[in-house]
Amino acid sequence: MSLKAFELVPAVERLKLLGDKTKTSIECIECSGKNLYIGTSDCFVIHYLMEEVTQRNGKVTYVSEKQNHKHLALRKPIKQLKAASALARILVLCDNVLSLLNMFNLEPILSGAKAKGVTSFTVNDSPKHGDAFSIEIAACAKKKAVQVYVVTEEKITFIKEVAIPELPMTLAVDGFCMCVAMETQYILVNYETGDVRDLYPISSPERKPFVSRIGKEFLLPGPGIGVFVTPAAISERPPVKWAEDVNGVGFLYPYVVAMDTEFLTIHSILDQKQKQAIPFQNGCIIGDYEGKLFVASNKDVYGLIPLPVEKQVQALLTDRQVDEALSLAMNFRQAGLSKEKFQKMYTNIQQQGGFIKFGEHKLDEAKELFIRGRLDVRELICLFPDLLPSSSYFSRAVPLLHDYADVNQIVHGDAERLRECKEFLVGFLEEVRDLDAATGYRMEVDTALLKLYAASDPKKLNNFLTIENRCSLAESLEALGSQGCYHAQGILYKLHRDHEKAMNIWMRIQDQELVDSSFPGLDFIVEFLAKLSDHELVWRYVEWCLQKDPELTVKIFTERPEDEPPTERMRPDTIIDYLHAYPTAVIRYLEHLVFQKKLEKETYHTHLAVLYLSEVLKLRENPSTKAETLNLARSKLRHMLQFSNLYRVQVILSKVKETDMYAECAVLYGKLEEHDRALRILVHKLQDYGAAENYCDINSKGRDLTYRKRLFQILLGVYLDPMEGKKDSLLAPAISLLNSQTADFDTVRVLQLIPDSWSVGLVRQFLRHSVETNMHLARTRKIQNSLSRNENLQVKYHMMRQRREPVYLNEERLCQVCNQTFNEPKFVRYPNGVITHTHCARNKTICPITGKLFSIGKEAS
C-alpha cells in the first residue's frame, strides 16, 4: 500500500452527542448538505449543523452545533434515517414503522405519512417514474416480499409488492432493479415485471448481510471478497479482496471503503487493489451521503476526508510509483475535476514521472512521458553539464520536477550508462525539435544537439549543419574547435553566410594546417564555389583551386546554377582568358560550352579543335606515349571535327596536312565537300574500306537521295579508277559495295561505269536488287496515281452534289457563328447546311456550331 487517500476526522464530539446518557448508543446516521442526523438506541433523533473548516496547515476539521432533537415516544431504537431534501422531510424507521419528520424542526407529519411492517428501506436515486415533488423508495417487508412506495411531503403511498422466496434483510435499488439480501441468498428482483433471479448464497449466515449501490452496479460481500454485479446479473469487473468480517461499505469514486471490526480498508475499483488501511475499532455504521463519507461506532461519528488528488499523486511519486500516480490522476479527471486543473496537474505528473523513469534508466518510458507531458526541454538539457548555452535565461521549475543535480548523480560514474543517457538526449531532442515542446527554445535545442554530435557523431553533425538551425554561433564555434570539428566550423560559418571565413577554414584543412578526417576534400570546395553567387569571392579562390587540380576547378564554372543571372565576370570569354595558363582546364571548359551548352560560336569551336589537335601532336612527339592514350586523343579530335560545322576547317587542315593523320584529313576534306579526295585517302592511304562506306553514310545524313547516291558513286569510282595502283586491285571492295544493302546507286550510271570485262555473275546481286527496287518504285507510283485519280473523282462528285443545292444569301441572312450579316459574297457552307463567314470557319472539317467532324472529302466549301 503506497497511497494515503483519506484522513479520519471526528465529526461530532462524544460529549455533545451523548451528554450524561452513557447507555445511549448510535444506531444510524444521515447527512444532507450541512445537516447531520443521528438516530439513537433510546429513540431520539438528533439534528446537528456541521461545517467543514480548513486549517492553515491544509487539514480539514468539522465544527458541529446541535440544532434540535426529538424523542419519538417509543422504547425502540431508531433503525434507519434518510433525508429527502427536495421534500424537506426525514424518513424514520423505528419499530418496523416508516414515518416522516420535518427536516428542520423534527416535528412528525401526521396526515397518513406512515408505512407499517417495514424492516429496511432505501431511496431509488434513478426512478423510472415519478416527479420532482416525490421520491420513490424500495422496502423490505416483514414477510416474504419487497415493496415500492412513493413519498410526498404529506404521505407515504404504497405502489407495488413483489413476492420473494425468503424474508428480505436489506436491499439496494437502481431503476426497476432491486438487489435483495435474503436470509440465505442474494437475488435480483425486477419490480416492474416481477422477475426474480438468483445470484449466489450468503457465505456467513451469522453475519448481517449488506448490499451497496456503486454507480450502476451493486456490491455484495462474498467469502473474503466484494463482488460487483450489474442489473443484468453479470459481473463486469474483478472482485475486491478484503477481510472476512467486513460489515459495510461506502463509495467515493474511485474508492470503495470497507469496514471490518478493526480497520477501514480503501480499495480502488479500477485495479481492485487495496490502497490504504485506517485503524477503526468497533465500527458499526458506514455510508456515503451526497458525496461525503461518514463512519460511526456506538459512541462516535467520524468523517472520511479525501485528500486532494495532488497530495495523493505526490505521495505516489515520492514512492516512485509513476504508473499508479498517472492512473489515479486520470481517474480523478473522470470524477469531474475541471479540464484546466486536470491538464495542469496531469502534465506536471508526466514530467515528474519522466524524470523518475530517467533516473531508473528506463529511457523509453521516460521519453514517452517527456513528450506527452510537453516537458520544457531545458529541464532535461540542464542535467548535462555545459550543454545549455550561457545565453539561455533558464531556471528550474518551482516546485522542482526532480532532485538530481546533474546526470552524474544518476549514472554514478558508469561511462556506458552516461553514453546511453546522451544518446537518449539526442534522440529526444531530434524528436521534439519541431514540436510545441521546443517552441521558443530552438536555440537551446540546436546548440545542445550540435555539442552532442560534435562529441560523438561527426557525420550527423555535418548533416545537421546543412539544414536551418538556430545554434548559438559563439558557443558552437568554441565547442566545434575543442572537438577538432573544423569542417563543421566552416559549414556553420557558411550557414551564417560568412563565406570568407568558411573558405579560409576549408583551405587550411586542404593545406593540412588543420586535421579533420570528416572533410570531403577539394571537391567540396569546388562545389561550394560553383554555387556561390558572390562572384568576387569566387574569383578570389579560383587560382588556389587551379593550382591544386585544374581539371576539377573547371566545375566552378561549368556547374553554375541554371537560374544564375549573367554577369561580366562570368562571361565565357573572360573565363577562357583566365584559364589560358591551364590547357586542360581550358579544354574542359570549351567542351562544356560546345557539347553541353551547345553554343554556336566559331571561336569556341575552332579553339577547342586547335587544342585537341595540339594535344594529339604533343602526344605523337612523345615516344613514351601509350597507344591507348594517343588513340583516345585522336578519337576525341575526329569526333569534334565530324560533330561541328562551325570551326575554321582550313586552319585545322593546314596543320593536319603536314602529318600522316589521314583519317583526320579525310574528315576535313569532307567538310570542304571534297569527297573524292577524302575517299581516296580512306581507300588508298588507310585502306579502310569500311571507313569509306561509313564516310558516305555519315556525310549523306540529312541530305536527299540524289546526294547520297552521288557519294556512293564517287566511292565506286575510286575503287574502279585504274590510275591508282594496279588495275582491278580493288575489285573485291567494289563488288562488295555494289552488293551492299545500305548503299544507294543510280543504276544507269553504275552500268556505264563498270568495266565491260565484268561478267553478269559479278554484279548479279546488284542487278537483281536494282530491278526489284525499280519495279517496286514503279508499281508504288502506279498505285499512288490510281488512288489520286480516285480521290479526285470523289471530290468532283462531292462538289457536283453540293452545287445542285442552291444557297440563298440575302441581307437578312446572318452568320451562324457571329450572328452578323454578310457584307461580301464570300461565305463558307458546311455539309450540314451551316453557313458562316470565311473568317468564322476556323476548321473546314469541324462544324463550329454542332462540333460534328466531317470526312476529308466532305469538308466545307
Side-chain angles (χ1 to χ4, degrees), residues 1 11 48 85 104 164 180 261 305 320 340 345 404 422 480 576 596 630 665 667 709 745 803 851:
M1 293 177 291
Y48 288 91
S85 56
F104 301 106
I164 58 175
V180 184
T261 56
I305 305 298
R320 311 186 80 79
E340 294 76 14
M345 176 193 70
Y404 303 121
K422 288 184 177 180
L480 293 173
I576 292 170
Q596 294 181 24
L630 180 59
C665 282
V667 174
K709 288 181 178 180
F745 293 98
R803 289 170 180 171

Side-chain angles (χ1 to χ4, degrees), residues 294-484:
F294 288 95
V295 295
S297 63
N298 290 332
K299 304 296 183 181
D300 303 287
V301 179
Y302 291 86
L304 278 171
I305 305 298
L307 267 66
V309 62
E310 294 89 342
K311 288 188 176 181
Q312 297 183 43
V313 168
Q314 203 58 48
L316 288 170
L317 290 175
T318 302
D319 203 32
R320 311 186 80 79
Q321 301 295 322
V322 176
D323 297 334
E324 192 169 350
L326 291 169
S327 176
L328 177 65
M330 184 59 72
N331 296 331
F332 270 93
R333 172 72 180 106
Q334 297 173 3
L337 210 64
S338 70
K339 183 178 179 180
E340 294 76 14
K341 187 176 181 181
F342 166 77
Q343 191 60 52
K344 183 178 179 181
M345 176 193 70
Y346 197 69
T347 296
N348 186 267
I349 296 168
Q350 288 175 316
Q351 293 174 2
Q352 290 186 68
F355 280 108
I356 291 171
K357 296 291 186 182
F358 183 66
E360 295 171 349
H361 211 64
K362 297 177 180 178
L363 301 180
D364 290 339
E365 296 177 49
K367 181 178 178 181
E368 183 180 356
L369 288 170
F370 285 151
I371 292 175
R372 284 165 43 197
R374 298 183 179 182
L375 176 72
D376 181 339
V377 290
R378 300 174 297 177
E379 290 279 0
L380 185 59
I381 295 173
C382 72
L383 282 178
F384 295 80
D386 301 324
L387 285 189
L388 200 63
S390 58
S391 57
S392 176
Y393 298 101
F394 170 72
S395 57
R396 292 186 178 183
V398 177
L400 295 174
L401 297 176
H402 58 85
D403 55 2
Y404 303 121
D406 58 36
V407 72
N408 295 312
Q409 188 179 340
I410 297 173
V411 300
H412 302 294
D414 188 331
E416 180 61 22
R417 293 192 73 176
L418 178 60
R419 182 189 64 78
E420 291 175 356
C421 287
K422 288 184 177 180
E423 287 181 356
F424 161 78
L425 179 61
V426 168
F428 174 72
L429 294 179
E430 288 174 343
E431 190 161 341
V432 303
R433 186 170 180 264
D434 297 317
L435 300 181
D436 292 342
T439 302
Y441 313 129
R442 278 289 299 275
M443 186 268 289
E444 289 88 343
V445 172
D446 288 352
T447 304
L449 277 173
L450 180 141
K451 292 179 179 180
L452 290 165
Y453 289 148
S456 61
D457 197 336
K459 184 177 180 181
K460 267 192 174 182
L461 171 65
N462 293 336
N463 291 336
F464 174 71
L465 289 174
T466 59
I467 61 176
E468 181 184 355
N469 63 70
R470 300 179 187 174
C471 297
S472 170
L473 181 60
E475 286 202 29
S476 298
L477 290 171
E478 182 180 351
L480 293 173
S482 65
Q483 295 290 340

